[in-house]
């Protein structure tokens, strides 16, 4: 993994899976969504498609959902939303500390929560998890990234913190290459075992 490579959706999704398995059993309270799940909501995918894509996460049992999001405008950028059902809060992590792009994302995230909650109720008889007022909070008001290539690594660092039971990553910009190296080690370990 190059020290300046931008991560694509395959990297984000694959590394998310590796982080989940690395941080079990603590991570088992979280459902990690794919980078493709929010676009399914945006493009009105059928319920059967959503259910098929997300069944394996057992999202209806998890109090925390982790949702990586790709923001394509004005330039490609990765952000992360942590959805907490206990507190009815959305925690929005953006390594550039942008807040304006979140307005449309929050509507889509709430649509995702509502649709999945209703699907789980219809198919499994669970209670609605989406009921009540929700609030959204930025995780950082100051940028932690000054370059144009590490946003995906920052999203994975934040994801690792959540999977370990923390609210926010303690990594600072001068340490982000160490975390990138950690991800590389995880990937190589899986490649050796395969």
């Amino acid at each position: 993994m190059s020290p300046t490579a931008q991560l694509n959706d395959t990297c984000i999704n694959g590394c998310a899976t590796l982080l989940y398995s690395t941080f079990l059993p603590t991570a088992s309270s979280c459902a990690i969504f794919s980078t493709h799940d929010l676009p399914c909501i945006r493009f009105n995918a059928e319920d059967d498609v959503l259910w098929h894509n997300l069944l394996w996460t057992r999202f209806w049992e998890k109090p925390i959902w982790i949702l990586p999001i790709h923001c394509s405008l004005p330039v490609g950028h990765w952000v992360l939303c942590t959805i907490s059902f206990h507190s009815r809060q959305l925690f929005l992590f953006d390594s550039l500390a942008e807040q304006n792009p979140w307005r449309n994302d929050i509507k889509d995230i709430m649509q995702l929560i509502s649709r999945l909650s209703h699907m789980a109720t219809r198919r499994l008889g669970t209670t609605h998890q989406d009921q009540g007022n929700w609030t959204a909070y930025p995780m950082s008001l100051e940028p932690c990234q000054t370059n144009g290539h590490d946003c995906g690594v920052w999203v994975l660092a934040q994801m690792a913190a959540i999977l370990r039971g923390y609210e926010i990553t303690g990594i600072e910009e001068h340490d982000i290459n160490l975390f990138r190296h950690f991800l590389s080690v995880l990937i190589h370990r899986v490649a050796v075992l395969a």
Side-chain angles (χ1 to χ4, degrees), residues 34 36-37 40 45 47-57:
S34 160
H36 305 288
D37 295 326
C40 283
D47 284 356
D48 287 342
V49 171
L50 285 172
W51 186 256
H52 176 71
N53 289 347
L54 292 167
L55 182 62
W56 69 274
T57 68

Side-chain angles (χ1 to χ4, degrees), residues 46-174:
E46 294 181 14
D47 284 356
D48 287 342
V49 171
L50 285 172
W51 186 256
H52 176 71
N53 289 347
L54 292 167
L55 182 62
W56 69 274
T57 68
R58 302 185 66 84
F59 64 85
W60 58 91
E61 297 176 349
K62 313 290 177 134
I64 298 169
W65 295 358
I66 301 172
L67 179 65
I69 303 167
H70 188 257
C71 303
S72 56
L73 298 174
V75 294
H77 179 58
W78 291 104
V79 296
L80 188 75
C81 179
T82 304
I83 301 163
S84 171
F85 283 93
H86 291 313
S87 62
R88 302 260 187 276
Q89 294 174 317
L90 307 178
F91 296 102
L92 313 169
F93 177 82
D94 183 342
S95 57
L96 297 177
E98 298 279 331
Q99 292 184 29
N100 289 336
W102 283 105
R103 296 189 199 289
N104 289 330
D105 289 333
I106 290 172
K107 292 176 189 171
D108 295 335
I109 293 164
M110 291 309 302
Q111 179 71 15
L112 174 79
I113 293 169
S114 178
R115 283 189 64 191
L116 293 181
S117 294
H118 283 86
M119 271 191 279
T121 298
R122 274 194 325 271
R123 293 170 187 251
L124 303 171
T126 63
T127 57
H128 286 289
Q129 293 191 45
D130 64 333
Q131 301 198 355
N133 293 326
W134 285 74
T135 52
Y137 298 96
M139 292 303 293
S140 177
L141 299 176
E142 297 293 325
C144 44
Q145 171 187 345
T146 57
N147 61 45
H149 56 265
D150 279 335
C151 60
V153 182
W154 278 106
V155 160
L156 292 168
Q158 175 65 10
M159 191 180 295
I162 296 161
L163 292 170
R164 293 175 57 223
Y166 298 98
E167 290 182 6
I168 192 162
T169 181
I171 293 176
E172 296 183 14
E173 188 167 34
H174 63 273

Side-chain angles (χ1 to χ4, degrees), residues 13-24:
N13 294 328
C15 287
T17 301
L18 289 174
L19 290 171
Y20 183 85
S21 63
T22 299
F23 296 124
L24 283 172

